Amino acid sequence: QHTHHSLPHNYDPTLSIDLVDHDGEPAPLLNPCFLVALADCHGTSVGGVAAAAGNNMLGVTGAGFDATLAGIRLLGANQTDMTEATALSHMNQAIDIYNNSWGPPDDGDVYPLGPLPLAAMQNGVTSGRNG
């Protein structure tokens, strides 16, 4: 929800993608966040912790308050190896850090990553940001 009062100054729409609705607007469902079963607010809160604008008199400052945010909406899509790989490699020359909180608790054995997402991560490590 890049329009949240603490995020718009740090949000870059040119780095963002929505793999659910297949457009550049990764906004979540706008149900109230307290209705957790109906809401899609996790990315907004994590974005705030990471890069909420500082010194804005709103009572919150992100850890990297001058950082640029991009939104990559993946959950809710028909997730496949390809959609996960797309999310993990999207704009990897411009995006420095990816935070992936894809839900349910998993130790890596319940929902292991397939070959395409693993290759996307390997490519990001070796070739992202020009190596």
Side-chain angles (χ1 to χ4, degrees), residues 47-70:
V49 169
N55 302 316
N56 59 8
M57 307 303 256
L58 296 174
V60 62
T61 299
F65 57 84
D66 284 330
T68 300
L69 286 172

Side-chain angles (χ1 to χ4, degrees), residues 1-12 41-69:
Q1 187 181 356
H2 60 83
T3 58
H4 186 277
H5 61 268
S6 62
L7 301 179
H9 299 293
N10 294 354
Y11 175 73
D12 184 344
C41 306
H42 185 70
T44 304
S45 61
V46 171
V49 169
N55 302 316
N56 59 8
M57 307 303 256
L58 296 174
V60 62
T61 299
F65 57 84
D66 284 330
T68 300
L69 286 172

Side-chain angles (χ1 to χ4, degrees), residues 73-97:
R73 186 173 179 217
L74 172 67
L75 293 181
N78 181 14
Q79 261 176 264
T80 65
D81 271 10
M82 181 58 76
T83 57
E84 291 176 357
T86 300
L88 289 167
S89 60
H90 179 71
M91 302 294 285
N92 73 359
Q93 294 303 311
I95 296 174
D96 296 336
I97 299 170

